[in-house]
Structures are given as C-alpha cells and as structure tokens.
Amino acid sequence: MTLRLRTVDAFTDRPFTGNPAGVIRLDDRAELPPESWYRAVAGELNLSETAFLERWDGADYRLPAAIGHQPEYLGVTPSGYLLAVIDGDSEVRRLRPDLATIKQQVGHGVIVSAVAAESSGADIVSRFFAPALAVPEDPVTGAAHTVLLPYWSQRLGRTELTAAQVSPRGGRLALRLVGDRVLITGRAVTVLDARLLSVPSGRLAS
C-alpha cells in the first residue's frame, strides 16, 4: 500500500515561499501506524511541519447509533461539545438517545439541532445531552446556543433568531449575534416565593 505525500507551502500564494509542510493522507488505511512511523516520516521529510490527515466522519463517537439518527452535519466546538445537525424538527423532538454510549464516548455533551417547523413559532430547535457531566438532558442550555447561533446565522443568513429547546420541560430563547458575541434573552416566571430561615451568621431572618 502506498500513501500520497504532498509538500504544501502555507501562508503564501506563491510556490517556494511561506511555511513548507508535509501533508500525508491516511484515509484509506484500515489501521493507523505506530507513533514511531509518524516520527520517522517527519524526520525524513525534514520540514518545519508534517501533518497526517485522517478522514473523520463521526465514527469514533458511533454517534448516529447513540442518538438514533444520521447527522447531516457533525462538528466539534472549542469547548468540546459535539454539534449534530439533523433534518427535521420532529426528529429532534422524537430522539431517544443512548445516554450510556454518549457518556462513554462523547465527553462534554451533544447538541442536536434542526430548522424548526413553521408552526412552532421558532427558527431553530435543539436538545442537549451531557450524561458525562451528570446532566442526562438539560432543560434549556444557554452555552449550547452560543454555538448554535453562529452556525445557524451563517446558514440562514440572519443575525437574530428565536430558538426552542425541545426537552421535556422545554424553553425559548431570543438570540442576537453582535460581532463575536451571542446575546441571549428570554422570559422568566416565578413559581416559588418563600423565606429562607437559615442565614450564614446563624441568626434567624426576621
């Protein structure tokens, strides 16, 4: 078996300038080589950088089986969440994920999202599963929407969206992209109004 090797001059639009790097694709290999092979190849090329590319389709997370649906897009956020975009509002609502598999293989958590149905009154829908963080499913997740808005803003061509997190409890958020910041607003309802009698000083509240 042979592997294709390229020398790429990065950060330039002219050959023989910029930063030279070796690039080797490992897409068609059944097994990855040992670390010593990578080091030997890099040493032989004697370039400032040598990159070994492996095709990634989410198989390492067996994610389609874990969430019960094949994503049309799968990405990893800087904070370590997986973002899985699937086709259909109703599919997101009907998900019955394998939380044990997600806990074992995904780590931080999985955001599953889709374009909302017109009848929902929202632009996008989502759910968030993070069993490894002791959160099987979060009712409404602000952090997830800091990822969702930039993604959907680019796809839908809008900087303001209404989001519905369709967990069993459910919730709605208004999202606005301002520069590199995501502004999140929403409504709140008081359901309990009580008095706490234990205070740090040990005195009873009057």
Side-chain angles (χ1 to χ4, degrees):
M1 178 181 292
T2 61
L3 295 175
R4 189 168 183 179
L5 165 66
R6 294 179 175 90
T7 298
V8 178
D9 291 336
F11 308 111
T12 182
D13 58 0
R14 294 182 295 115
F16 313 121
T17 61
N19 189 19
V23 181
I24 300 171
R25 295 190 59 171
L26 305 174
D27 297 351
D28 56 354
R29 295 188 61 88
E31 295 184 11
L32 295 179
E35 182 179 347
S36 58
W37 180 85
Y38 294 95
R39 293 182 178 276
V41 171
E44 183 71 16
L45 295 178
N46 195 31
L47 296 171
S48 59
E49 301 289 345
T50 303
F52 300 89
L53 305 182
E54 177 189 2
R55 178 173 295 166
W56 183 78
D57 59 5
D60 291 343
Y61 298 95
R62 306 192 295 115
L63 188 63
I67 66 174
H69 201 284
Q70 178 66 49
E72 64 179 45
Y73 169 84
L74 184 62
V76 182
T77 74
S79 56
Y81 298 134
L82 288 184
L83 170 59
V85 176
I86 66 177
D87 183 19
D89 177 308
S90 60
E91 298 297 332
V92 175
R93 297 173 188 272
R94 288 199 297 259
L95 287 179
R96 296 294 182 268
D98 181 347
L99 295 177
T101 299
I102 292 176
K103 180 178 182 179
Q104 179 182 13
Q105 298 194 8
V106 175
H108 279 64
V110 178
I111 307 164
V112 184
S113 184
V115 174
E118 291 185 10
S119 59
S120 69
D123 299 303
I124 59 172
V125 295
S126 69
R127 293 173 71 183
F128 179 70
F129 307 99
L133 303 178
V135 182
E137 180 170 5
D138 198 28
V140 186
T141 316
H145 288 86
T146 64
V147 173
L148 289 170
L149 181 57
Y151 174 84
W152 286 114
S153 177
Q154 185 174 20
R155 279 194 56 172
L156 301 179
R158 294 167 53 193
T159 58
E160 295 189 24
L161 298 173
T162 299
Q165 190 153 336
V166 291
S167 64
R169 289 182 63 93
R172 287 181 175 264
L173 310 91
L175 311 175
R176 184 157 63 99
L177 190 62
V178 180
D180 61 354
R181 293 180 178 271
V182 175
L183 304 184
I184 302 176
T185 58
R187 302 182 67 177
V189 178
T190 300
V191 296
L192 176 65
D193 188 351
R195 299 175 66 191
L196 183 63
L197 298 180
S198 178
V199 295
S201 65
R203 297 175 297 172
L204 292 180
S206 58

